[in-house]
C-alpha cells in the first residue's frame, strides 16, 4: 500500500489524480486531501477515498467542511498552516497540485518529508527553483515532474549525464490563438482564452497557454529539473500536442514521449514510478492523426514567451517577479478588467520597475513575490482607469 496526499485535490490535476486512485483504491492509503474552499467537492472526495484528513486553506470554510464531514471520522483542519501540516504528514507520495504561489510553502513542506513529490505546481520551480531543488537534495526527496512536458523529458532521459545531452526541446501547442495577429489578439475575451484546443485545464494555466507564458514558465522549470544550460533549452510549436517533449543527445539521437493529451498519463507515470500502471486514457491512433506539424515560436506575437526566456537568462529574482506579475495580470484579465495584450505589458512593466537581489530563502522569494504583486496591481489599476 502506498500512502498518498493530494494538495489541491479539487482542481483539474487533483481530480485527475483522484480518478486514477479511485480505479484501484486498495493500493492507496489516502492521508490528506486539501483544497482552497471547494467544500462540497473536497468532502465528497474525502469520503469516497476514505481520507484520514481533509483541509481547506481558507479558514472561513472550516465550519462548512466540518458539517459536510460530520460523522465520517475524517479529521478536518483549516488555514494555510494546516495545509503545510498536511503536506508534512509523511505520505510516501504527495501530489502538489495547488495553483499559484499559494503552493510554495506546502511544496517545501512536502519535500522536507524526504519522500516522492509529484510536482504539478509550476510556480514552485519558477519562483523558488534553487530553494526547492536544494531542499529536495538535502532531504533526499524525489521530485517527479507531472507537467506533461517535463514528465516527457523525465521519461526520455535515459541517462542524466549532462555531457550526453545536447538539447531539451519542449513542445507547445501554441494555444487557441496560434494563428491570430496581434491586432486580433487585443479583443480576445476570457471565455475564448480559457478554451484550450487540446487540453482541459484550470483557468489560470489556460490563459497562460493562450499567451504562451505557460511555455515560458516551463522553460524555467526545465532549467531547474534537468542538467542543461539555458542555451540548451528550446521550444517548438507542435499544434497536435501528441509529442509532449524531446531530448536530443550528443550522438544526434532524439527521444520523444508521445501520448494522447490527457494529464492522467503523466500523473499515472508519476504515481506508479518507478513502475507503470494501467490507465483508461485514449490510445494514440497515429494513422488517424495522419501528420505531426512543427513551427518555430513567434516571439513577436507572444511577448510573454520572450519575457520568460529573458527572466530565465538573467536569473536571480527575475523569474519570481515575472511569475507574480503574471498571476496578477491573468487574474485581472479573467475578471474582465484588462485586455489580453496588457498581460504581457504589465509583466514587462513590473520587471522594469523592480530589480531586487537574488533570493536565498523561501521567505525572501515570498517577499519579492508580494512586492511584485503590489507593483503589478498598481499597473492593473492604471489600465482599468
Ligand atoms: P485548478 O485551478 O484546477 O486547481 C487548483 C487547486 O488548488 C484547487 O484544488 C484549489 O482548491 C487549490 N487552491 C487554490 N488556491 C489555493 C490556496 N490559496 N491555498 C490552497 N489551495 C488552493 O488548477 P490546475 O489546472 O489543477 O493546476 C494546478 C497546478 O498544476 C498549477 O500550478 C498548474 O500550473 C499546474 N499544471 C496544471 C496542468 C493541467 O493540465 N491542469 C498541467 C500542468 C501543470
Ligand atoms: Mg505543460
Amino acid at each position: 500500500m502506498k500512502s498518498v496526499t493530494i494538495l489541491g485535490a479539487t482542481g483539474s490535476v487533483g481530480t485527475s489524480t483522484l480518478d486514477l486512485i479511485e480505479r484501484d483504491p486498495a493500493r492507496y492509503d489516502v492521508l490528506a486531501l486539501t483544497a482552497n474552499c471547494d467544500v462540497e467537492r473536497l468532502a465528497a472526495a474525502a469520503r469516497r477515498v476514505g481520507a484520514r484528513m481533509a483541509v481547506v486553506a481558507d479558514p472561513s470554510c472550516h465550519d462548512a467542511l466540518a458539517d459536510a464531514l460530520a460523522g465520517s471520522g475524517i479529521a478536518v483542519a483549516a488555514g494555510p498552516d494546516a495545509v503545510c501540516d498536511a503536506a508534512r504528514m509523511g505520505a510516501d507520495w504527495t501530489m502538489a497540485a495547488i495553483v499559484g504561489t499559494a503552493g510554495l510553502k506546502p511544496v517545501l513542506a512536502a519535500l522536507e518529508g524526504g519522500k516522492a513529490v509529484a510536482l504539478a505546481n509550476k510556480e514552485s520551480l519558477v519562483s523558488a527553483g534553487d530553494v526547492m531543488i536544494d531542499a529536495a537534495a538535502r532531504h533526499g526527496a524525489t521530485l517527479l515532474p507531472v507537467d506533461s512536458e517535463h514528465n516527457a523529458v523525465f521519461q526520455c532521459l535515459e541517462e542524466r549525464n549532462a555531457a550526453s545531452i545536447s538539447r531539451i526541446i519542449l513542445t507547445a501547442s501554441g494555444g487557441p490563438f496560434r494563428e491570430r495577429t496581434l491586432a486580433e489578439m487585443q479583443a480576445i475575451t476570457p471565455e475564448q482564452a480559457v478554451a484550450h484546443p487540446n487540453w482541459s485545464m484550470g483557468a489560470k494555466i489556460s490563459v497562460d497557454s493562450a499567451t504562451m507564458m505557460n511555455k515560458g514558465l516551463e522553460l524555467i522549470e526545465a532549467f531547474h529539473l534537468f542538467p542543461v544550460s539555458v542555451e540548451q533549452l528550446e521550444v517548438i510549436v507542435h499544434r497536435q500536442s501528441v509529442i509532449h517533449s524531446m531530448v536530443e543527445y550528443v550522438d544526434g539521437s532524439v527521444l520523444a514521449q508521445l501520448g494522447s493529451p490527457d494529464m492522467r498519463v503523466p500523473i499515472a507515470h508519476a504515481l506508479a514510478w518507478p513502475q507503470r500502471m494501467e490507465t483508461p486514457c485514449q490510445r494514440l491512433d497515429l494513422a488517424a492523426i495522419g501528420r505531426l506539424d512543427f513551427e518555430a515560436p513567434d516571439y513577436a506575437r507572444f511577448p510573454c514567451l520572450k519575457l520568460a526566456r529573458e527572466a530565465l537568462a538573467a536569473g536571480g529574482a527575475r523569474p519570481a517577479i515575472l511569475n507574480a506579475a503574471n498571476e496578477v495580470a491573468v487574474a485581472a484579465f479573467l475578471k474582465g478588467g484588462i485586455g489580453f495584450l496588457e498581460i504581457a505589458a504589465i509583466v514587462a512593466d513590473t520587471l522594469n520597475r523592480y530589480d531586487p537581489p537574488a533570493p536565498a530563502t523561501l521567505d525572501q522569494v515570498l517577499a519579492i513575490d508580494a512586492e511584485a504583486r503590489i507593483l503589478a496591481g498598481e499597473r492593473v489599476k492604471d489600465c482599468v482607469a
Side-chain angles (χ1 to χ4, degrees), residues 267-335:
I267 294 169
H269 177 264
L271 181 57
W273 185 87
Q275 271 117 38
R276 296 261 176 187
M277 65 188 279
E278 296 250 358
T279 74
C281 302
Q282 203 183 342
R283 304 294 126 153
L284 268 191
D285 183 346
L286 287 171
I289 293 165
R291 55 184 276 183
L292 298 178
D293 294 287
F294 304 96
E295 61 194 83
D298 184 342
Y299 287 90
R301 282 187 305 125
F302 294 95
C304 285
L305 182 57
K306 184 160 175 280
L307 289 169
R309 214 182 223 300
E310 287 166 359
L312 169 60
R318 310 303 283 162
I321 298 167
L322 171 100
N323 175 64
N326 182 57
E327 273 192 40
V328 170
V330 170
F333 170 72
L334 283 170
K335 276 198 206 130

Side-chain angles (χ1 to χ4, degrees), residues 7-16 34-38 41-42 55-58 80 83 95-103 106 119-124 146-150 199-206 208 214 217-218 221 262-263 266-267:
L7 308 170
T10 56
S12 170
V13 172
T15 304
S16 293
T34 83
N36 188 32
C37 188
D38 189 347
R41 199 182 277 225
L42 179 66
V55 184
V56 275
D58 183 338
V83 174
M95 166 54 79
I98 292 172
V99 63
T101 306
L119 189 65
N121 174 275
K122 308 191 172 229
E123 297 78 7
S124 303
V146 168
D147 205 341
S148 57
E149 294 76 4
H150 308 93
W199 297 92
S200 155
M201 309 182 286
K204 197 267 175 179
I205 181 174
S206 296
D208 286 345
N214 183 50
L217 300 178
E218 290 179 355
E221 287 181 272
D262 183 332
M263 281 303 290
I267 294 169

Side-chain angles (χ1 to χ4, degrees), residues 43 45 51 59 84 114 120 124 166 170 197-198 223 254 268 277 287 295 328 336 344 347 351 366:
C84 289
S124 303
S166 62
L170 301 183
N198 303 343
F223 174 76
V254 178
M277 65 188 279
E295 61 194 83
V328 170
V347 174
L351 283 162
L366 293 173

